[in-house]
């Protein structure tokens, strides 16, 4: 039995997004449990599809004694404030020091955190953790598939394992895999050999989905190479919205034999490089996507429109109105859009009461370029308190507290309904609609503020999925961002132009 410290600090930073992640954002959690310190973190993550939960179960099953330090996550957004970073990282490291001596450390990290002070939030955190425990203690971490892997991260831990599904249905399983690598090091008494390579192109997140090519095949190849070479492999396509030098794709390998690690890594890297052209993606303008969905959607087989550029899971605030405008402008029938995050409008709906018809100014509060509030009359069809538990494959077991929620029906286009919520979360679970009385499968058109995660729960009921390009801060084509710190020479999209630096 070993004594192992458990911690976690997750944030996916879109440096181009409108709002920062301050300490209250980590207290709210944005769909995740709120920030936790010490022993309570075990209960807070238990039973959910969360990496730490999987790691904790695996380590306990292996007979280890666990010490909780700190665990925190917030909705993706602009940089983590210096205050939030120092409070959470500071508490994690302080509690780790108080827990010493420990035999090992497991950390639940995202890998794409930028703080106001540190471009590489995880690299700095790992540096502090290593400083606290010393060189002799193995450290293993799980990572999001959207991590931007860096030199400092690689140097800061003995092993990393990333999700291999997007939608991330394997978060808990990935934590368990990281835990098994840590357990192996503790039992074997020796450290793993590791290696990694970066790749020199970026790709928008909609084309990183593991349900579609090329990622479907790449992750199958990865699993086959792991078996062939007896190593642990990861492929992280990256989060192409963080403006810092090391943003981008990478592959990582860990094993007991350096030669096998290098061979497996080389093969995986070559396969990703060969697949570059397959990462190109079709994007549809809102007007075109709505027109097609009106023709093709039917109750029982709705057409799903992914409002990818306002995805709260990639730094959007979930309040842009481009797609809503197109649905109402074309008087779509059987259409539901969600979640539109607007605390004021949801509050107004609750004040007015069920059945009331009144003028609303919906969304547009983030002042994203090209976007504005949508003005119109709506009837309040249903009110709800925003407290429910998710049931879909990705968010299963997550307990949502989204504040006031409401279902509105457009007066100008009575076939269009809008699901309002007060706190932002990505529309990736059907319960978010059922909570206000909408049964998603009965609609003709579902407009979702999500890039890919919705696919786990919604693709099985969808006739087809169209990825829509409407105004928002989570641009699907990385060439459109105004990069200032990105390294020179990286291609800004598959087969695209090289960044001039
Ligand atoms: Zn992710």
């Amino acid at each position: 039995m070993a004594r192992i410290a458990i911690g976690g600090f997750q944030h996916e930073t879109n440096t181009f997004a409108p709002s920062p992640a301050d300490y209250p954002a980590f207290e709210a959690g944005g769909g995740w449990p709120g920030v936790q310190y010490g022993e309570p973190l075990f209960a807070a993550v238990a039973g959910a599809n969360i990496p730490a939960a999987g790691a904790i179960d695996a380590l306990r099953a292996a007979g280890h004694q666990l010490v909780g330090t700190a665990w925190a996550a917030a909705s993706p957004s602009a940089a983590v404030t210096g205050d939030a970073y120092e409070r959470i990282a500071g508490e994690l490291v302080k509690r780790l020091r108080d827990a010493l001596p420990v035999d090992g450390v497991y950390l639940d990290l995202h890998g794409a955190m930028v703080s106001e002070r540190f471009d590489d939030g995880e690299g700095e955190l790992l540096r502090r953790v290593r400083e606290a425990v010393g060189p002799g203690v193995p450290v293993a971490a799980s990572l999001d598939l959207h991590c931007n892997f860096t030199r400092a991260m690689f140097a800061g831990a003995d092993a990393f394992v990333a999700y291999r599904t997007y939608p991330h249905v394997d978060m808990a399983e990935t934590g368990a895999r990281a835990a098994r690598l840590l357990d192996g090091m503790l039992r074997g008494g020796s450290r793993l050999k590791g290696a990694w390579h970066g790749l020199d192109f970026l790709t928008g997140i909609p084309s990183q989905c593991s349900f579609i090519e090329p990622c479907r095949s790449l992750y199958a190849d990865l699993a086959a190479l792991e078996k062939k070479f007896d190593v642990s492999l990861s492929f992280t396509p990256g989060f192409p919205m963080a403006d810092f030098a090391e943003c981008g794709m990478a592959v990582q390998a860990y094993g007991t034999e350096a030669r096998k690690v290098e061979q497996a890594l080389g093969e995986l890297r070559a396969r990703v490089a060969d697949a570059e052209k397959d990462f190109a993606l079709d994007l549809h303008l809102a007007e075109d996507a709505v027109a097609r969905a009106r023709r093709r959607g039917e109750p029982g087989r709705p057409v799903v429109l992914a409002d990818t550029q306002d995805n709260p899971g990639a730094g959007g605030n979930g309040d842009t109105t481009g797609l809503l405008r197109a649905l109402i402008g074309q008087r779509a029938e059987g259409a539901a859009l969600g979640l539109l995050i607007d605390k004021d409008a949801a509050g107004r709906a609750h004040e007015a009461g069920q059945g009331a018809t009144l003028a609303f100014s919906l969304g547009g509060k983030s002042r994203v370029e090209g976007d504005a509030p949508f003005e119109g009359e709506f009837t309040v069809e249903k009110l709800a308190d925003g407290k429910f538990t998710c049931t879909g494959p990705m968010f299963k077991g997550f307990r949502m507290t989204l504040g006031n929620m409401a279902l509105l029906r457009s007066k100008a286009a009575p076939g269009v309904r809008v699901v309002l919520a007060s706190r932002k979360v990505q529309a990736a679970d059907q319960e978010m609609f059922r909570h206000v009385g909408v049964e998603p499968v009965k609609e003709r058109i579902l407009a979702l503020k999500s890039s890919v995660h919705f696919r786990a729960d919604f693709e099985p009921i969808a006739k087809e999925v169209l990825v829509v390009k409407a105004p928002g801060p989570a641009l699907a084509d990385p060439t459109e961002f105004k990069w200032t710190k990105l390294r020179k020479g990286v291609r800004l999209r598959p087969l695209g132009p090289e960044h001039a630096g």
Side-chain angles (χ1 to χ4, degrees):
M1 185 186 81
R3 183 173 155 82
I4 297 171
I6 306 291
F9 191 8
Q10 283 219 25
H11 191 256
E12 181 182 79
T13 307
N14 174 346
T15 58
F16 304 99
S19 314
D22 52 12
Y23 193 76
F26 287 93
E27 287 179 312
W32 303 87
V35 60
Q36 304 288 328
Y37 297 117
E39 294 298 301
L41 79 80
F42 295 111
V45 302
N49 178 25
I50 291 176
I56 289 163
D57 289 348
L59 292 169
R60 280 189 175 147
H64 300 304
Q65 183 204 348
L66 309 184
V67 187
T69 60
W71 188 93
S75 262
S77 66
V80 176
T81 63
D83 169 63
Y85 186 87
E86 290 308 328
R87 282 170 77 177
I88 296 164
E91 194 68 22
L92 191 154
V93 173
K94 178 187 170 295
R95 285 174 183 265
L96 177 59
R97 286 184 187 278
D98 291 347
L100 294 176
V102 297
D103 304 302
V105 179
Y106 160 77
L107 294 174
D108 176 356
L109 305 177
H110 183 289
M113 185 194 309
V114 178
S115 80
E116 285 170 344
R117 185 161 159 220
F118 303 105
D119 278 347
D120 176 6
E122 287 86 357
E124 172 63 16
L125 177 67
L126 286 161
R127 190 191 64 72
R128 295 183 192 185
V129 165
R130 176 59 75 201
E131 192 178 79
V133 299
V137 173
V139 177
S142 53
L143 295 171
D144 195 286
L145 172 151
H146 296 107
C147 98
N148 291 317
F149 201 72
T150 66
R151 279 176 298 232
M153 286 167 67
F154 179 70
D158 296 275
F160 290 94
V161 190
Y163 313 155
R164 50 188 66 176
T165 60
Y166 181 29
H168 304 328
V169 293
D170 66 337
M171 292 192 282
E173 193 185 314
T174 304
R177 283 193 283 125
R180 284 195 287 274
L181 290 182
L182 181 61
D183 180 59
M185 285 188 277
L186 291 166
R187 284 175 200 281
S190 65
R191 313 289 269 271
L192 292 171
K193 309 280 191 293
W196 73 289
H197 287 302
L199 285 109
D200 52 6
F201 68 100
L202 303 182
T203 176
I205 60 171
S207 46
Q208 297 176 357
C209 177
S210 58
F211 288 0
I212 57 177
E213 295 300 340
C215 281
R216 182 164 49 192
S217 294
L218 289 172
Y219 283 106
D221 290 352
L222 178 151
L225 288 169
E226 271 189 330
K227 280 213 181 76
K228 181 177 166 192
F229 290 102
D230 189 26
V231 295
S232 166
L233 279 176
S234 296
F235 162 45
T236 51
F239 188 63
M241 306 184 200
D243 188 12
F244 78 118
E246 294 179 89
C247 180
M249 281 197 202
V251 289
Q252 304 88 2
Y254 292 90
T256 51
E257 286 183 46
R259 186 181 51 83
K260 285 185 179 175
V261 166
E262 288 294 349
Q263 280 181 334
L265 190 70
E267 284 202 25
L268 181 59
R269 183 197 192 182
R271 290 183 198 198
V272 176
D274 287 346
E276 179 170 344
K277 69 175 186 333
D278 303 323
F279 279 97
L281 180 81
D282 282 337
L283 294 168
H284 305 268
L285 296 175
E287 292 294 344
D288 302 342
V290 168
R292 180 173 169 89
R294 285 177 60 219
R295 288 195 303 273
R296 292 180 49 83
E298 53 188 317
R301 300 293 284 163
V303 170
V304 172
L305 307 179
D307 197 0
T308 183
Q309 300 204 129
D310 190 32
N311 171 12
N317 281 344
D319 76 338
T320 65
T321 57
L323 194 46
L324 177 64
R325 210 171 290 281
L327 287 166
I328 290 178
Q330 294 188 33
R331 297 178 62 84
E333 287 294 325
L337 178 142
L339 302 176
L340 189 76
I341 313 302
D342 188 331
K343 192 177 174 203
D344 294 346
R348 259 173 70 73
H350 277 252
E351 271 168 33
Q354 218 154 285
T357 299
L358 60 161
F360 280 90
S361 174
L362 291 182
K365 314 274 192 300
S366 300
R367 302 181 177 279
V368 168
E369 198 179 324
D371 191 58
F374 182 87
E375 315 283 346
E377 281 196 68
F378 291 84
T379 301
V380 180
E381 209 165 88
K382 178 106 180 158
L383 299 170
D385 66 4
K387 290 180 186 155
F388 58 93
T389 300
C390 293
T391 56
M394 154 110 192
F395 280 149
K396 193 178 174 75
F398 277 57
R399 295 169 284 273
M400 294 287 156
T401 49
L402 303 182
N404 281 335
M405 287 183 69
L407 178 65
L408 304 185
R409 186 182 287 279
S410 164
K411 197 170 168 202
V416 179
R417 295 190 292 174
V418 183
V419 182
L420 290 180
S422 299
R423 293 199 197 104
K424 77 171 187 172
V425 69
Q426 179 168 184
D429 196 285
Q430 293 194 38
E431 290 303 321
M432 295 170 185
F433 287 79
R434 293 192 186 115
H435 185 59
V436 292
V438 176
E439 180 54 51
V441 74
K442 293 185 178 166
E443 300 297 310
R444 293 171 188 271
I445 304 174
L446 291 168
L448 305 179
K449 293 209 174 266
S450 175
S451 294
V452 169
H453 283 327
F454 71 88
R455 288 184 189 260
D457 206 19
F458 288 89
E459 198 156 291
I461 63 166
K463 181 162 192 167
E464 67 181 4
V465 168
L466 302 175
V467 182
V468 179
K469 189 178 170 183
L475 301 179
D477 179 354
T479 57
E480 295 178 9
F481 285 121
K482 292 182 179 70
W483 299 94
T484 62
K485 296 183 176 177
L486 185 63
R487 67 195 176 280
K488 198 176 159 182
V490 64
R491 289 184 295 290
L492 294 175
R493 66 166 173 248
L495 306 179
E498 281 187 12
H499 182 50

